Amino acid sequence: MKITPKDGIVVVTGAGSGLGRAMARQFCAAGFSVVGMGRQAETLAETGAGLDRFHPVVLDVSDGGAVTREFSRLRDGVGPVAVLVNNAAVYPRKDFLSETGDSFMQTVNTNLGGTVHCTRAALEGMVQTGRGRILNVATFADVAPLPTASAYAVSKGAARIFTRAVVADLADRFPGIVMSDWMPGMLATKMGIADGLDPEVTAAWGVQLALSCDRSLTGSVFEMDREVLEPRGLKSRLKDVILMRRKRARRVSEI
């Protein structure tokens, strides 16, 4: 089942540059009205250049009150939120001894807090209709943290736990609201690496994934264009062999 422009608008956080910009523009190209959120009006204007369906919103997603007010305004004035892409993140690249408790928590407040605030606000409308799509842009930073990435690794790892926790709370009651994680890979952006993936290419995967409202995607994790299956114990693997069954990782192109 696919989300269509008739279902409502798309909200992309961190839409002022990089992956968020690429995804916002591709959603517009697919016929959706897109609300792009970011902290700088200038970069959002660059994202929306030449796009009639792009609506820039200058917003700090770490400000929970401002997020709640903005989503309420969108529901009343623009339309229901059908898709939320939680993409906004900061990566300050600080050694832990260069951090203070406050600077560390500023990163957490954006990377985790922003995801929490936007998800909670978007769900206000989604639970009324019983349908919606939330895609959280994630990383494996919590599994193997890099040097100078303590705050980033903790906040992004906690955001992955947040996805699973919300799914545990809502999946049974609201099966039509699909929430999952997507790891786009190392990108050629300011937060990424010089020889990383083209954000335009990865954005196409993310957009396709975000527009699929198949209930089987609830709680799933995709890396680039391929599903990441949960590790299975030896007993489960032997049972699969005996019963001649094998769960296959899906491709984005197949959903």
Side-chain angles (χ1 to χ4, degrees):
M1 185 178 295
K2 295 290 185 180
I3 299 288
T4 72
K6 294 181 180 179
D7 294 312
I9 64 173
V10 174
V11 175
V12 180
T13 68
S17 63
L19 178 65
R21 172 178 289 179
M23 291 187 72
R25 293 184 67 86
Q26 291 188 27
F27 278 122
C28 286
F32 287 86
S33 290
V34 178
V35 173
M37 296 181 174
R39 291 182 293 182
Q40 298 180 18
E42 296 80 4
T43 58
L44 288 174
E46 292 172 1
T47 298
L51 300 177
D52 295 333
R53 297 187 179 93
F54 183 78
H55 307 275
V57 172
V58 178
L59 181 71
D60 182 348
V61 294
S62 69
D63 185 338
V67 169
T68 298
R69 290 189 295 272
E70 185 57 40
F71 273 79
S72 178
R73 185 190 71 82
L74 290 175
R75 285 194 300 273
D76 294 339
V78 182
V81 176
V83 178
L84 167 64
V85 178
N86 282 310
N87 169 69
V90 293
Y91 189 175
R93 290 185 172 87
K94 287 185 178 180
D95 181 274
F96 186 67
L97 293 179
S98 299
E99 294 269 23
T100 64
D102 287 342
S103 68
F104 188 99
M105 290 309 297
Q106 285 174 1
T107 300
V108 175
N109 289 340
T110 296
N111 297 355
L112 173 61
T115 297
V116 172
H117 296 319
C118 292
T119 298
R120 184 62 185 83
L123 284 171
E124 280 292 320
M126 290 180 180
V127 296
Q128 294 179 18
T129 63
R131 189 164 186 257
R133 183 71 169 98
I134 300 174
L135 184 67
N136 294 331
V137 178
T139 75
F140 270 130
D142 58 315
V143 176
L146 296 173
T148 72
S150 58
Y152 180 78
V154 168
S155 58
K156 294 298 283 186
R160 293 181 66 195
I161 297 172
F162 172 71
T163 300
R164 299 198 298 272
V166 175
V167 167
D169 277 351
L170 302 183
D172 289 343
R173 285 179 292 160
F174 301 100
I177 299 176
V178 177
M179 183 173 180
S180 62
D181 285 336
W182 172 53
M183 295 173 286
M186 297 296 288
L187 306 178
T189 62
K190 291 181 180 179
M191 284 181 57
I193 56 177
D195 59 347
L197 297 167
D198 183 348
E200 294 290 339
V201 174
T202 55
W205 298 330
V207 167
Q208 186 169 347
L209 189 57
L211 293 181
S212 178
C213 207
D214 189 315
R215 297 177 183 182
S216 69
L217 293 173
T218 296
S220 66
V221 179
F222 276 71
E223 183 177 13
M224 296 188 290
D225 68 335
R226 190 179 182 88
E227 185 177 13
V228 178
L229 299 179
E230 292 185 3
R232 293 171 63 79
L234 178 59
K235 183 177 180 180
S236 295
R237 296 200 303 270
L238 287 174
K239 189 174 181 179
D240 289 343
V241 171
I242 294 171
L243 296 177
M244 293 186 292
R245 65 186 184 191
R246 179 171 175 261
K247 186 174 181 180
R248 185 177 65 87
R250 292 170 288 184
R251 296 277 189 180
V252 169
S253 60
E254 298 170 346
I255 61 176

